[in-house]
Amino acid sequence: MASPLLRQKVVDLTEERLKTEENEHLLDSTSPTYLADREKRRHEITSQLLDITADMLDKMVCKMESKTYIRSAFYGATQLLTRAYNAVHVSDSEVKRLQEVATSAAKKKQSILFLPRHTSHVDYVTLQVVCYRLGLTLPVVVAGDNLNFPIVGGFLQSCGAMWIRRSFANDQLYTALVQAYLDTMLQQGYNLECFIEGGRSRTGKLLSPKFGFLSFVLDSILAGRTEDVWICPVSLQYDKVIEVDSYVNELLGKPKQKEDLAGFLSASSVLSLNLGRIDCRFHEPWSLKDFISEQQARQTLGADFSAGSNSRIRLLRTLGYRVLSDINEASVVMPTALVGTVLLTIRGRGIGKSELARRVDWLAKRIRLKGGKVADFKGMPTSHVVERALDVLGPKLVGTVDGLAEETFYAIDRFQLSFYRNMTIHLFISEALIAAALYSRVKQGGGSANERMTEAELIDKVTFLSQLFRGEFIFTAGQGLQHNLEDAVQGLVRDDVLTTSVDGETMVGLSDSERKSGRESYDLYCFLIWPFVDAAWLGAVSLLALAPSTDTSAGWVEMQKAQDMAHFAGRTLYHQGDLSYFEAVNKEALRNSYSRFQEEGIIQVAKATDPKNKPTVRLAPEWRPERDAVSNELKPSGRLWEFIENIAQFRREGKNRRDEAAVSTRVLSLAAKLNQQIFAEELQIPAEAQPDSVKESRRRSKL
């Protein structure tokens, strides 16, 4: 409360309020008692603001004050955690390194900022228990106030949680209060913990970084209020995640349930299950001050890191993606992820027990060759590790076929298994993009000579895919697309998956040994990326339904309705056979696609000034598909259709898609039906309830 930053904000807001009251004639400047009245009013406003601030602070502040309480909470948390998971594994070398950094930081009164990935609510408990056992200062956990519900909220606040709003809504006082509180903790050397992704990942892979909290920490360093902060990216990996069932429901369109005590107790009921083990890995901590200096040195004309500058925004983005890259580097691939990946990357209906063990062993070796880490099981045979993984996944996810010559396993719930498969994809993303690019030629058949492409064409196609998935995957930080691509191609040639030859120009194709082995490596990379290609294709196809029926129509639709319609279209296309992967029909992938389409200018998004009205979306006029002049039906031509076809070339070939004309007819027919439905609904919205963008466009149309 004594922070100069916060005090100044109170003064500024008081002055703004006084000016407003003067403009509204609530203060009479002609009155003989004007100065006295104004001063009295100033004290009243300041007092009110300080009372509001104190109340907000009481709800926000971490109240970790009693050692007895902490010890009791630790004991209880450990008992609950070990009922669900049989062990929490850490690395001795990483722990020793972290303790050395912590000792040095404590002497300088500097904070360690733990930035873990966010997979489960268990993350909070796990990292606190690990820090307690390692003798580290328990971090203050930056948590969304959606978890601050009765009883549980108070308990968590006393064990290390500080509550912040999910949205600040341009509340200047609240923003200044958060900054002042963080400054105070950083100046005193308290450790902090914040989930870099914001919310929990529903898909198993890392989400894009959220920059709000990092911006506060960065501001504290740049303004000189804090000397330095140590950044420690953390990876928390689970054999099985408690909430995966609810994640799948949310991705399939079921509304997210609000956290409350009943839900917490319901989730706690699974704590008696065998969910395998947890691996907690710490990346080598690094100095934020040194990072800023390095970035500043890279600027050719000098960096302007002032608030709102482009250099400051780039610095923040670079910081966020550096942390995510470090988390991926520290991550350990669990046995359930290995088994899930193998089951979802085979061509057959199922796989025998011995072959499953062989492929898991093969995949583990591929991961290690890529510099990744696989959970250590102290010399246990692979067959035993696979059995444990199958036991943890359970019969709801993986089925067996009885009465065969060999025990055979197959994926039952592919959607839920994809959560575990996605925990490996970051290791092979460059290879997967190359494989998908080459597949556009491989699927045409005609022998090895016909299934090659020039290096220039390959680079062009991989560049397109990289841009398409820019917000979907976390690429290796600091190296650039060209460098990553060249490294990946060289690696695939070295592994004898691809071969290059010079026939006038450099040609790239599958090697003879890869063909003889049944394309095992190549298929793995393709199967990893194909569900995401399907999801991007679905997102692009759904835009056809946003095409207005006339050139004069504005075509604005509520964003939520547009994405719900896209989800509905995906379910239809999957069950009709035009979409291969049901996990492609998920809300998060569609949101990511729409974000990319907005960045590319394919769609335009408008937000209403009234928060009650939801954001709206429309196709950019230059991207509207062509219509038949007589029938007004959508035609398979135009800029949007070319974009859809460009994505489609990388999709897995299926029986329903061998006849491209038939696919075009079915897709356009479905788009026409959804188009009529969504615009009919928009026309029924009362005028007073329409978003600003819709009302303005219709007003202009009438003019």
Side-chain angles (χ1 to χ4, degrees), residues 211 214-215 217-219 221-222 286 288-299 303-306 309-323:
F211 301 107
L214 289 180
S215 179
V217 177
L218 200 59
D219 187 71
I221 299 287
L222 291 173
W286 40 271
L288 180 55
K289 185 178 180 180
D290 289 349
F291 171 81
I292 294 171
S293 298
E294 290 168 9
Q295 296 302 311
Q296 200 163 20
R298 291 183 180 182
Q299 301 284 340
D304 171 25
F305 289 151
S306 58
S309 67
N310 289 333
S311 294
R312 172 92 162 241
I313 294 170
R314 282 197 300 272
L315 175 66
L316 190 58
R317 285 184 60 83
T318 304
L319 173 60
Y321 281 99
R322 160 77 185 274
V323 171

Side-chain angles (χ1 to χ4, degrees), residues 242-254:
I242 291 174
E243 302 100 320
V244 170
D245 274 336
S246 64
Y247 291 168
V248 170
N249 287 334
E250 288 176 34
L251 292 174
L252 289 175
K254 186 177 178 180

Side-chain angles (χ1 to χ4, degrees), residues 324-560:
L324 291 182
S325 182
D326 286 353
I327 290 173
N328 272 339
E329 187 178 321
S331 292
V332 171
V333 179
M334 307 300 284
T336 48
L338 294 172
V339 170
T341 300
V342 169
L343 287 172
L344 295 184
T345 56
I346 56 173
R347 288 189 175 273
R349 294 187 183 91
I351 185 169
K353 189 174 184 178
S354 58
E355 178 66 4
L356 177 58
R358 186 195 71 79
R359 289 207 177 208
V360 164
D361 195 46
W362 172 84
L363 178 58
K365 290 176 181 176
R366 302 296 307 167
I367 290 170
R368 293 189 184 100
L369 286 172
K370 283 287 295 179
K373 300 172 184 175
V374 178
D376 184 11
F377 279 84
K378 305 298 181 185
M380 287 184 186
T382 304
S383 58
H384 183 68
V385 174
V386 169
E387 285 177 5
R388 288 185 57 175
L390 290 169
D391 182 50
V392 170
L393 290 171
K396 289 185 178 180
L397 272 66
V398 181
T400 58
V401 183
D402 298 325
L404 302 181
E406 182 185 15
E407 192 173 7
T408 301
F409 302 94
Y410 64 97
I412 294 178
D413 191 336
R414 299 183 66 89
F415 206 124
Q416 197 167 149
L417 274 176
S418 71
F419 181 91
Y420 300 98
R421 177 205 60 204
N422 289 344
M423 291 179 173
T424 64
I425 193 170
H426 67 278
L427 292 159
F428 304 110
I429 184 59
S430 295
E431 290 81 358
L433 295 179
I434 292 168
L438 188 61
Y439 182 72
S440 62
R441 188 61 57 84
V442 169
K443 69 179 177 181
Q444 295 176 6
S448 58
N450 193 52
E451 294 176 3
R452 301 180 301 162
M453 66 172 56
T454 66
E455 189 176 42
E457 184 183 2
L458 181 68
I459 290 172
D460 183 59
K461 291 182 183 297
V462 172
T463 301
F464 171 79
L465 287 170
S466 298
Q467 292 298 316
L468 185 68
F469 295 127
R470 193 168 64 197
E472 191 72 59
F473 301 111
I474 308 303
F475 296 91
T476 304
Q479 295 183 329
L481 172 63
Q482 188 70 26
H483 184 276
N484 289 340
L485 176 58
E486 290 173 358
D487 269 4
V489 170
Q490 290 172 10
L492 289 169
V493 171
R494 189 168 54 249
D495 294 339
D496 209 13
V497 176
L498 299 183
T499 184
T500 58
S501 58
V502 179
D503 185 12
E505 55 185 326
T506 303
M507 304 293 292
V508 182
L510 289 175
S511 69
D512 290 338
S513 62
E514 181 65 17
R515 292 175 184 278
K516 290 176 183 177
S517 70
R519 301 195 332 199
E520 189 171 39
S521 297
Y522 180 74
D523 278 358
L524 167 70
Y525 303 137
C526 286
F527 275 104
L528 284 173
I529 198 68
W530 274 334
F532 296 95
V533 175
D534 257 13
W537 178 81
L538 170 61
V541 163
S542 73
L543 299 183
L544 291 169
L546 298 182
S549 56
T550 64
D551 291 336
T552 58
S553 173
W556 289 102
V557 177
E558 279 187 11
M559 175 68 86
Q560 189 59 57

